[in-house]
Amino acid sequence: MLKTKMKQLLTALTISTAMVSAPLATQAADKGANNIEAGKKLAFSRSKGNCLACHMVPGGNLPGNIGPALIAMKLRYPDKQKLYDKVWGTPDTQVPDSMMPPFGQNGILSDDEIQKIVDFIYTL
């Protein structure tokens, strides 16, 4: 009898946990998709990220060729934080005489905007 009650309790807990965690996972996925779309808009915006001024980006029109193509970014930057640091412009990630401005260091983009751009670029 005790084992039956315990099984019922564990089943009820499992079901209620799934009911609570499923919407949270959906919300997190929605937020991630929204960040990626917002990052794409920022990256393609001529007044904000303007990545297309220098980089070929899949899906972008009139790309530049000053910087490397933004492809295979997960392979090139397995650590997503290093990609963020590159866009932000930390001293150890800046390439000498590079045309790429340190977007965060110079206040061109906010930390949130850089994170959204990195979320988008990381999908390429």
Side-chain angles (χ1 to χ4, degrees), residues 43-114:
F44 288 178
S45 169
R46 297 291 181 184
S47 64
K48 277 299 208 174
N50 202 15
C51 299
L52 287 169
C54 300
H55 300 278
M56 188 285 296
V57 182
N61 294 324
L62 304 171
N65 61 4
I66 295 170
L70 300 183
I71 55 174
M73 298 308 287
K74 285 182 184 177
L75 291 173
R76 291 167 58 191
Y77 290 90
D79 181 355
K80 195 174 183 180
Q81 182 63 44
K82 288 185 180 182
L83 178 58
Y84 177 91
D85 293 345
K86 180 78 169 174
V87 176
W88 196 90
T90 59
D92 60 319
T93 62
Q94 291 179 327
V95 177
D97 302 319
S98 172
M99 297 295 291
M100 184 166 161
F103 286 96
Q105 182 180 334
N106 287 349
I108 299 167
L109 295 170
S110 70
D111 291 344
D112 184 57
E113 290 171 326
I114 293 171

Side-chain angles (χ1 to χ4, degrees), residues 32-44 113 116-117 120:
N34 290 341
N35 277 357
I36 290 168
E37 190 57 37
K40 181 178 181 178
K41 286 181 183 178
L42 286 165
F44 288 178
E113 290 171 326
K116 288 175 182 173
I117 289 172
F120 164 63

